[in-house]
Amino acid sequence: MSQISWTDVDNFFVDTLVEQDEALLAALENNKAAGLPAIDVPPNLGKMLHIFARMIGARRILEIGTLGGYSTLWLARALPADGLVVTLEYEPRHAEIARQNILRAGLADRVEIRIGAALDSLPALAAIAPFDLIFIDADKKNNPHYLEWAIKLSRKGTVIIGDNVVRSGRIADPAANDEHLQGLRHFLQLQAQDDRLTATAVQTVGAKGWDGFSLALVEK
Ligand code: SAM
């Protein structure tokens, strides 16, 4: 198998199963025009997040790492009218593009973007917690801290998803040891050790290469 086949299969799945309406497509176009990196979740994973949120009847969602709000749109669309996604973004420019995309999608009433380093924004979220689903997708070196906060801001039954835990296989290569890989390994180890969590991780291939996500359920 090769990147070409992975991309072909992703395209087939997206064409067959993942209808992206005007607002989702316009968000990706707007991100591109603004020069944002194309590191948003692929459409089939965006829809997977949407389905997860609906499966658990999520009403409050926390996202760490907004970029242009593409994953935020998928998550916000899973909510009832009185639901809320709080999404945390460090770069004001990314947050501004996300704001435009969310407004265009008619979801401004159920998305709150908080600008700043996530570790500075998280403590104030105790006032909104517990969150039903938490999607961690920012600077991977801080994932162990984000996990700690995610647990604090959760309840029994909360689902915690961590993106990009494979990094083209480098997660399992002892010779690869940058700060993000160190953070991700610690993040996964903490999920294994914490008796409040039941966790797994799944690798994926697709148009955006070889990667994967972790999935944890808060047990108590
Ligand atoms: N979830 C987005 C999507 O799928 O459309 C993609 C998020 S992108 C992978 C990661 C984002 O996290 C970037 O926009 C980056 O600026 C932001 N970020 C990086 N470090 C951060 C931090 N310390 N606090 C908050 N956001 C951060």
Side-chain angles (χ1 to χ4, degrees):
M1 290 293 278
S2 66
Q3 180 63 55
I4 293 172
S5 327
W6 299 346
T7 302
D8 287 347
V9 173
D10 247 10
N11 289 341
F12 174 75
F13 284 161
V14 172
D15 289 348
T16 308
L17 288 163
V18 187
E19 193 186 343
Q20 294 190 86
D21 66 6
E22 181 52 34
L24 286 165
L25 292 171
L28 292 178
E29 277 306 309
N30 196 28
N31 292 355
K32 194 173 168 188
L36 265 54
I39 51 174
D40 16 48
V41 292
N44 43 348
L45 286 188
K47 191 163 182 184
M48 185 193 76
L49 294 173
H50 172 90
I51 293 170
F52 280 163
R54 289 181 58 186
M55 280 163 66
I56 61 166
R59 304 180 76 82
R60 268 174 255 176
I61 296 176
L62 169 61
E63 176 179 65
I64 305 177
T66 316
L67 191 65
Y70 181 73
S71 52
T72 320
L73 294 182
W74 278 110
L75 289 167
R77 285 177 168 190
L79 291 173
D82 63 348
L84 178 67
V85 181
V86 178
T87 183
L88 310 181
E89 176 52 54
Y90 180 70
E91 292 286 346
R93 209 170 58 83
H94 296 182
E96 171 51 26
I97 301 297
R99 194 191 61 78
Q100 294 168 8
N101 292 335
I102 290 158
L103 198 63
R104 186 189 303 102
L107 292 165
D109 60 336
R110 66 191 80 165
V111 179
E112 198 182 307
I113 306 175
R114 297 201 179 188
I115 301 173
L119 285 175
D120 295 337
S121 303
L122 283 160
L125 299 184
I128 300 175
F131 292 92
D132 307 307
L133 187 151
I134 300 174
F135 179 48
I136 302 174
D137 189 21
D139 50 336
K140 313 307 175 199
K141 67 175 194 283
N142 275 319
N143 270 27
H145 302 300
Y146 297 150
L147 180 67
E148 207 175 299
W149 273 107
I151 295 170
K152 274 188 205 157
L153 298 171
S154 69
R155 56 161 175 83
K156 185 176 178 196
T158 294
V159 169
I160 301 172
I161 301 168
D163 203 12
N164 308 124
V165 299
V166 174
R167 307 182 89 72
S168 303
R170 291 195 302 281
I171 191 71
D173 176 0
N177 211 21
D178 66 34
E179 59 181 356
H180 297 296
L181 286 164
Q182 287 175 22
L184 284 166
R185 287 181 192 128
H186 193 197
F187 173 65
L188 295 172
Q189 282 153 5
L190 289 172
Q191 293 185 59
Q193 289 159 8
D194 197 312
D195 68 359
R196 292 167 295 183
L197 300 177
T198 296
T200 188
V202 175
Q203 54 185 330
T204 57
V205 292
K208 298 206 173 181
W210 177 19
D211 216 323
F213 59 89
S214 64
L215 178 66
L217 179 67
V218 178
E219 298 274 21
K220 44 189 162 182

